[in-house]
Amino acid sequence: MSTMRIRNARVFNSYTQTFEEKSVLIRDGQFAQLQETKEEQRRPVDHEIDAQGRWMIPGLIDIHMHVESSMTIPTEFSRQALSFGVTTVVADPHEIANVFGLAGIEAFMASEPVMDIFYGIPSSVPSTNPDCETTGGVIGLEEVDKLLDNPQIRCLGEVMNFKELVSEEDTLIRQIIALCKKKRPLLPLEGHCPKISGADLAKFIASGVNADHTQQTPESIVEKITNGMYLEMQGKSIHEDTIRTLMEHQFYEYFSLVTDDVMPDHFLHGHLNQVLLSAVHCGLPMEKAIYCSTFTSARRMHLDDRGVIAPGKIADFVLLDSLEDWTVHQVYKNGVLVSEPQSGYSIAEKPVSFPPEFYHSLHHRPLTEDDLLVRVSPSAKSVTVQVIEINPRATFTRLTTAELPVKNGVVQWQNRGLALMACIERYGKGGQIALAFTTGGIQKNGAVASSWAHDHHNLMVMGSHVPDMIAAANHLLAIQGGYCVCVDEKITACASLQVGGIVSDQPLAELAGQIEAVRAAMEDQLGYVHHNAVMSFATLSLPVSPEVKLTDKGLLIGKTLEFIPLIKEEHA
């Protein structure tokens, strides 16, 4: 039996949401006693730490996130997240599942990170259905049934397909939910319901899916919570007005702070701790921010053994030098020191190996110029085309139109304030290429390409110059996945994502530098205007995100799952 004592700490009490000066006894990786008597404190222990007045916080718990959004593998994610005081996450692995199906999920779950990474069952792989997008893997009833037997599973991952969820037909997602309710009745059912309200929201919640992590407004917060929905507030939902709404209504029991997606170059500087500090900056009291990053999160996922410093709970905790800017002194997992950022110490993570086929997952011939020609009737003089208008502040899009001339049956879109986008089926299941026009993204000559394209992760390329588009796409086919920028037919920035075309097994610092270079090239060389250009481009293929997106099957309206033609009208 091993024992440890923390003396002179300002300990966060989750039940009173206050700090109290206490000593804490830890026995065999669990909190054993708070505030021992002086006689008890004289008893010898194996290890004693004088906290010197530091703040002692339960390890942070992120219950809605995706490891693949950081473009790294679980063990490398663990090493970095621990340094910020994050000791537990619940990851939805639907990105790796879209590429490799159940095999991808099992490969992630087989890794043994130091932090606790629990998983949600990907509920929407593909995010819509095989008629709307092509994926490498599919998660159906058989896969769900198998995953429900695994104790690492803590929830059903975000249900995205609104149309099939509320359908009166016996759709796949309705069958999945029924199976979850039968086999694990208390399993939380997570949702993805942006801009859904009124009768539609009621149908969503009535299905049993009662959590949402998408972008919120004061109005959506009140409507969703008062209708029984639990909210997971990510960074883009944190504003003074949303925080004020949560506080005015005393909604502290009904929301958690989460990350959802953290890019690798941003991940170098913070994780859930940054969302927490952002909420505090917007007016949320620090004690409430900690409470909603630990205790409420644990309760939502039935992780009843953590999220609080109390007898019998797992001894996951953080010692902070500064509460105001979250300066981490040490991080402990199960009572063991795992990270000391200021000294550079981090406990060793076990190596991970993936099957050889995970490194060879892009199957498509090289692109040619003919692949990117928009052809219409030779008799047409001009056409009205459908255009995806990119929002510079969000991942939402809007449908608009443009009039373009035609020459010899080919649409002349160049120098018209538009860019061309292609979505290329990469799994060897047809090789089709769908085209679309965009506005509001690329402003200069060049192209950007990515095999990290939510959620199907087909190969996406967008540009204002066709030779650059071809060079960018073919470069990623050659290196088996990544994210790159091309100008004057030269690759000016590239991040290699060799595992499934979506994650890298190289050290995070190296990957982060590559993504930072891609981001800078998109902004400076291509003139891409967005607060997160990398994510903006990658979600132009996500059909469940409003309003119109491009998959390998064509232009798709998310809410109705209806395809629309690229050419709206030809003019003789």
Side-chain angles (χ1 to χ4, degrees):
M1 180 181 295
S2 62
T3 55
M4 178 170 67
R5 179 181 292 121
I6 311 293
R7 294 191 296 110
N8 301 324
R10 303 177 191 179
V11 181
F12 183 72
N13 187 316
S14 301
Y15 301 108
T16 62
Q17 296 165 46
T18 59
F19 286 95
E20 303 170 352
E21 294 186 11
K22 289 180 179 289
S23 65
V24 180
L25 182 67
I26 297 169
R27 183 180 295 117
D28 290 340
Q30 292 186 337
F31 297 117
Q33 188 175 346
L34 278 66
Q35 199 59 34
E36 303 167 288
T37 65
K38 289 184 179 180
E39 180 180 345
E40 289 172 323
Q41 290 185 36
R42 285 194 290 267
R43 295 175 183 172
V45 294
D46 297 312
H47 187 50
E48 185 167 279
I49 296 173
D50 185 352
Q52 300 178 337
R54 292 185 174 92
W55 285 265
M56 185 174 178
I57 314 289
L60 300 185
I61 302 174
D62 188 354
I63 61 170
H64 183 87
M65 53 77 65
H66 311 277
V67 171
E68 307 96 310
S69 291
S70 299
M71 304 182 189
T72 191
I73 58 177
T75 49
E76 187 68 5
F77 175 88
S78 169
R79 184 194 61 78
Q80 186 69 13
L82 283 168
S83 71
F84 302 119
V86 183
T87 55
T88 301
V89 301
V90 180
D92 185 338
H94 67 228
E95 314 294 358
I96 199 71
N98 268 277
V99 179
F100 294 122
L102 183 61
I105 301 171
E106 291 178 335
F108 266 39
M109 294 174 71
S111 64
E112 300 179 59
V114 173
M115 77 183 311
D116 285 329
I117 301 183
F118 296 100
Y119 289 90
I121 297 175
S123 64
S124 304
V125 178
S127 67
T128 53
N129 60 63
D131 293 329
C132 296
E133 55 189 310
T134 303
T135 57
V138 174
I139 300 299
L141 284 175
E142 182 179 347
E143 292 81 6
V144 171
D145 189 41
K146 183 176 182 180
L147 288 167
L148 284 169
D149 292 330
N150 193 310
Q152 286 179 265
I153 295 297
R154 304 307 304 186
C155 67
L156 180 67
E158 56 182 295
V159 176
M160 307 179 197
N161 192 337
F162 171 79
K163 181 179 179 181
E164 296 192 2
L165 176 68
V166 302
S167 170
E168 294 182 0
E169 298 177 4
D170 192 22
T171 59
L172 176 60
I173 187 57
R174 290 171 67 90
Q175 294 176 45
I176 288 173
I177 289 172
L179 178 60
C180 290
K181 289 179 177 179
K182 178 181 178 181
K183 200 164 184 177
R184 289 178 63 173
L186 298 180
L187 192 76
L189 307 179
E190 300 286 286
H192 173 112
C193 53
K195 297 187 176 183
I196 294 176
S197 62
D200 286 343
L201 179 64
K203 293 176 184 177
F204 202 102
I205 297 172
S207 72
V209 181
N210 63 352
D212 180 38
H213 68 279
T214 59
Q215 191 165 352
Q216 306 299 336
T217 65
E219 294 76 20
S220 72
I221 288 172
V222 173
E223 182 183 18
K224 288 175 179 176
I225 290 180
T226 56
N227 276 277
M229 181 164 270
Y230 189 90
L231 295 186
E232 294 151 357
M233 301 287 289
Q234 58 169 295
K236 65 185 180 183
S237 290
I238 305 297
H239 305 285
E240 289 185 1
D241 56 351
T242 54
I243 293 298
R244 186 184 309 112
T245 300
L246 291 165
M247 293 171 61
E248 287 177 350
H249 291 270
Q250 298 286 304
F251 281 152
Y252 303 113
E253 305 302 321
Y254 313 117
F255 79 93
S256 293
L257 300 177
V258 302
T259 60
D260 195 11
D261 302 300
V262 179
M263 303 288 101
D265 51 337
H266 297 163
F267 191 24
L268 281 184
H269 308 292
H271 194 255
L272 183 56
N273 60 309
Q274 287 196 330
V275 180
L276 182 154
L277 289 176
S278 177
V280 171
H281 179 75
C282 290
L284 189 66
M286 175 61 77
E287 292 81 0
K288 299 296 187 184
I290 294 171
Y291 183 72
C292 295
S293 302
T294 55
F295 195 47
T296 62
S297 305
R299 282 200 323 235
R300 168 66 188 173
M301 292 295 160
H302 302 299
L303 295 168
D304 300 323
D305 58 355
R306 68 195 68 206
V308 57
I309 299 172
K313 306 298 184 181
I314 291 175
D316 293 353
F317 63 95
V318 189
L319 292 177
L320 298 175
D321 288 327
S322 169
L323 192 62
E324 287 71 24
D325 59 6
W326 202 265
T327 304
V328 175
H329 175 64
Q330 292 177 328
V331 181
Y332 289 78
K333 183 80 188 73
N334 298 317
V336 176
L337 176 65
V338 294
S339 184
E340 192 173 59
Q342 294 172 59
S343 71
Y345 171 77
S346 62
I347 194 168
E349 296 277 359
K350 293 184 178 180
V352 176
S353 62
F354 295 106
E357 59 268 23
F358 277 37
Y359 294 88
H360 300 280
S361 63
L362 272 69
H363 307 288
H364 196 281
R365 59 170 174 77
L367 262 64
T368 66
E369 185 173 343
D370 191 63
D371 292 320
L372 301 181
L373 294 179
V374 182
R375 298 184 183 278
V376 295
S377 169
S379 62
K381 301 299 182 185
S382 66
V383 291
T384 301
V385 299
Q386 313 265 24
V387 178
I388 299 173
E389 184 178 291
I390 299 170
N391 188 323
R393 292 172 295 277
T395 56
F396 302 142
T397 57
R398 191 171 72 90
L399 185 63
T400 185
T401 60
E403 300 291 327
L404 297 176
V406 175
K407 183 177 180 180
N408 298 326
V410 177
V411 177
Q412 307 296 299
W413 57 270
Q414 296 88 339
N415 303 314
R416 301 279 172 168
L418 301 176
L420 181 67
M421 183 165 67
C423 184
I424 302 142
E425 192 281 310
R426 56 159 273 199
Y427 297 105
K429 297 182 177 181
Q432 62 271 11
I433 300 172
L435 301 176
F437 294 109
T438 67
T439 184
I442 289 177
Q443 309 295 323
K444 302 177 183 178
N445 281 338
V448 57
S450 178
S451 57
W452 188 79
H454 295 293
D455 280 342
H456 46 73
H457 301 296
N458 284 297
L459 181 58
M460 295 282 292
V461 60
M462 179 170 68
S464 55
H465 188 229
V466 168
D468 288 333
M469 295 176 67
I470 294 170
N474 288 344
H475 180 72
L476 294 188
L477 288 170
I479 68 170
Q480 284 296 297
Y483 212 127
C484 73
V485 172
C486 182
V487 178
D488 294 331
E489 298 181 58
K490 295 180 180 178
I491 304 301
T492 59
C494 181
S496 175
L497 303 173
Q498 65 273 51
V499 181
I502 61 170
V503 297
S504 171
D505 58 8
Q506 63 186 309
L508 181 69
E510 294 180 20
L511 172 64
Q514 295 170 6
I515 287 295
E516 188 174 29
V518 168
R519 187 187 306 280
M522 289 181 70
E523 294 171 354
D524 300 337
Q525 297 173 13
L526 302 183
Y528 202 110
V529 179
H530 198 277
H531 75 275
N532 190 343
V534 173
M535 181 60 80
S536 171
F537 174 61
T539 53
L540 292 177
S541 63
L542 179 59
V544 294
S545 175
E547 170 185 80
V548 58
K549 300 296 169 76
L550 180 70
T551 75
D552 64 300
K553 302 291 184 75
L555 278 168
L556 190 67
I557 301 296
K559 189 171 183 179
T560 61
L561 299 186
E562 293 177 329
F563 284 103
I564 59 173
L566 174 61
I567 307 301
K568 187 174 183 180
E569 189 176 356
E570 295 186 14
H571 311 288

